[in-house]
Amino acid sequence: MGSACSRNRGQVVHEDQLYSVKFSKSGSFKWLLHTLSRSSSDVLRKAQGPGPGRRPSLVELCVARVREDISRYSDFSMLPRDLSQQIFNELVRCSYINEELLGAFRDCALQDICLDEYPGVKDAWMEVIASQGQSLLSVDISCSDVTDSGLNLLKDCSNMQSLACNYCDRISEHGLKTVSGLSNLTSLSLKKCAAVTAEGAKAFAKLVNLVNLDLERCPKIHGGLVHLKGLRKLETLNMRYCNGITDSDMKYLSDFTSLRELQLSCCKISDCGVSYLRGSIQTIPPKSGGLCSDCCLFGSYIRIGFIGFVKSQ
């Protein structure tokens, strides 16, 4: 895909580099350049953005024009990834994406697919999402109708670093087995996901690179925290409103020396459960995080200075 597409994640690509390497030399861009020559003043205005007097970049012009004439295009796979990614993001932002249009992004090597609360997302969409293959780094399909079958299509996207399936109530324990194979995940969010049970939590055991894990409103996790014991890189763990967990679950968190933030708000944990956390919480540097415990049944223990627990007066 060239220099613009082989860049590392987060690396800045200057607009003049994009032009010289891709747009002026690639024959596949003649259709875009020809279209841009007829750009209307309205497209130019939209591409300029809020900055007064700023000229629109070539990429902004491309994205704006494609959005205006989206019905003309059916395949973006010949574009460099940077451009197809921005076109995709813009179409999602404007709520233009549907199942048919999504097909135009098949095999585009997109890195980020964010469809959080986007209407209509289902298993049929996942085939195109999974076609991004090893390029795919993050996926958010929260509040979708994706099932185990759709989630299973991501099994070969092994470079994924972030996955969010919040409020996906059609995913079961069986579907979470797919997640267990995504060993490069550093962030996993499964808020109010019915699949997160003691059995389903077995999928977390192999995710040794996890840094952030969000299990908010997953009350059936009781008995499943034992599968987190090997996640030594875990820094943030959110279990707010997991009212099924008990004091006995806390002992599996006692050796998490990397833990910087632990959310246990609105959980039924007593002094006994908190006592298991002394070793973990005492390693937290000041002002870097802490234990959020409001609304829990902590009784005589309170958080002081992010360094441990002392008796309340």
Side-chain angles (χ1 to χ4, degrees), residues 282-299:
Q282 288 175 350
T283 64
I284 297 175
K287 298 182 181 180
S288 68
L291 174 69
C292 180
S293 59
D294 53 294
C295 300
C296 295
L297 306 179
F298 280 175

Side-chain angles (χ1 to χ4, degrees), residues 16-88:
D16 54 348
Q17 293 175 339
L18 273 175
Y19 183 84
S20 61
V21 173
K22 284 293 172 187
F23 290 84
S24 61
K25 295 183 180 180
S26 174
S28 64
F29 285 93
K30 291 181 180 179
W31 60 278
L32 263 180
L33 292 173
H34 180 67
T35 302
L36 288 176
S37 67
R38 304 194 308 273
S39 294
S40 65
S41 59
D42 181 60
V43 172
L44 287 170
R45 177 181 57 80
K46 290 180 180 179
Q48 279 183 318
R54 185 177 69 86
R55 293 182 178 180
S57 67
L58 180 58
V59 169
E60 287 173 327
L61 287 169
C62 288
V63 172
R65 190 64 200 189
V66 168
R67 184 192 63 214
E68 292 294 316
D69 295 335
I70 191 59
S71 61
R72 297 179 57 193
Y73 310 123
S74 59
D75 186 3
F76 295 113
S77 62
M78 78 289 289
L79 299 183
R81 177 172 57 203
D82 303 79
L83 181 54
S84 56
Q85 180 73 65
Q86 291 193 49
I87 293 173
F88 177 82

